[in-house]
Amino acid sequence: MRILITGSMGYVGSVLTRHLRKNFPTAELVGFDSGYFAHNLTCSASLPEVRLDRLHFGDLRNFPTDLLDGVDAVVHLAAISNDPMGKEFESVTEAINERASVELARMAEEKGVAKFIFASSCSIYGAAEGRPRRESDPLNPLTAYARSKVAMENALRTNNAGKMTVTCLRFATACGMSDRLRLDLVLNDFVASALATNEINVLSDGTPWRPLIDVADMARAIEWAVHRTPETGGDVLLVNVGSTQGNYQVRQLAEVVAAELAGTKISINRDALPDKRSYQVDFSLFSQLAPSHAPVVSLTQSVRNLSAGLRGMSFSDKEFRGSSLMRLRTLKDHIEQGRLSSDLHWQ
């Protein structure tokens, strides 16, 4: 089996590469990445990419078609990957997350790729009061990032000619330790802040809901999708990936971190304007389809793993929100130093 991973050098890709190598020991693993964040190694004694058989540096907007030759499964992670980056680079987000991604899927089907796994997001539910959202519920994307995920899902449903088994994994908000750690994720931010400052500042009133999933469980879900056949979920499957007990209000996340890291104080901005991005998600379909790959990493374990990883790095940066551990800051640094153009092409 030959598996192509786009975004292989990212936060999720670094964990996924190790997981797939372990679970598909004889597979040929091919990585594809722009290299924007390749230098942001955080807790690894060696490059995660040593587990790949091949690594191709490139821009998804100019994807080399021949890289799909002989590929059995594409795992598509590559994206401008959060709301702040989507706001700063809205046209690039549309170009990469939507147009280039749709073209990648088209080329994959034309080349005879059997499986296409797309990393979508529960953020497409946006503002959703009331009961947890199911896959059949209306979507309410509030950001360029979320809109790009909806557009790609729609294209995969509309354009699929039935030759590929397509799985759109609507992931809960990612968290947990990685060889290329991001601190621009809510739980990761709280743990880093607690370690560096002994304080967590919740910028909202703490009431918005967020479903969470550890990056290790994201890798397990992708492994399941690589195995998935149309008999389990159909030719094109859109499925929420997380766990029912993984729906938390933001203040609850802060409280769990503070309970694990003694001496941490919590401050909540109770006068903040309401955060519209609030949603609970129903993950029962994924539990039914993939019971052996349902999330197993608890919130407490994610906090402990993050804490251990950050301490292993001797992390103490009180100004980490201005560091390379924030993806938007890394892109801006590249641009300011002339390494990237304003539309994120390497110079």
Side-chain angles (χ1 to χ4, degrees), residues 261-277:
L261 300 176
T264 300
K265 298 179 181 178
I266 300 173
S267 64
I268 296 177
N269 185 3
R270 301 190 185 279
D271 296 324
L273 293 174
D275 186 343
K276 293 181 179 180
R277 297 169 303 159

Side-chain angles (χ1 to χ4, degrees), residues 146-323:
R147 289 191 293 272
S148 74
K149 295 297 186 182
V150 173
M152 180 59 173
E153 283 191 2
N154 288 339
L156 287 170
R157 282 193 290 186
T158 302
N159 300 341
N160 186 271
K163 298 176 183 178
M164 283 195 307
T165 300
V166 174
T167 309
C168 298
L169 301 171
R170 292 179 176 174
F171 284 117
T173 300
C175 67
M177 198 62 200
S178 166
D179 291 336
R180 288 192 175 87
L181 182 62
R182 289 173 54 183
L183 295 183
D184 51 5
L185 297 161
V186 60
L187 185 72
N188 298 8
D189 176 287
F190 286 176
V191 173
S193 185
L195 286 173
T197 69
N198 299 117
E199 187 172 4
I200 297 172
N201 294 304
V202 180
L203 300 181
S204 71
D205 65 359
T207 61
W209 286 91
R210 294 284 189 280
L212 262 66
I213 184 171
D214 193 277
V215 65
D217 283 328
M218 294 174 73
R220 295 176 64 251
I222 292 168
E223 176 208 339
W224 170 80
V226 171
H227 282 296
R228 191 181 78 82
T229 63
E231 289 73 29
T232 305
D235 290 335
V236 179
L237 173 66
L238 293 82
V239 61
N240 299 330
V241 181
S243 60
T244 301
Q245 62 269 30
N247 284 296
Y248 297 95
Q249 288 183 291
V250 172
R251 67 167 178 261
Q252 292 175 306
L253 299 178
E255 289 165 357
V256 170
V257 173
E260 282 297 311
L261 300 176
T264 300
K265 298 179 181 178
I266 300 173
S267 64
I268 296 177
N269 185 3
R270 301 190 185 279
D271 296 324
L273 293 174
D275 186 343
K276 293 181 179 180
R277 297 169 303 159
S278 179
Y279 49 91
Q280 296 182 65
V281 179
D282 185 322
F283 298 103
S284 57
L285 178 59
F286 185 68
S287 296
Q288 294 166 14
L289 295 175
S292 62
H293 288 78
V296 296
V297 183
S298 68
L299 178 62
T300 297
Q301 189 60 55
S302 293
V303 171
R304 290 174 181 172
N305 292 345
L306 282 163
S307 176
L310 286 165
R311 282 174 168 147
M313 296 160 48
S314 300
F315 176 82
S316 61
D317 184 4
K318 295 181 180 181
E319 306 299 326
F320 68 86
R321 293 186 186 90
S323 77

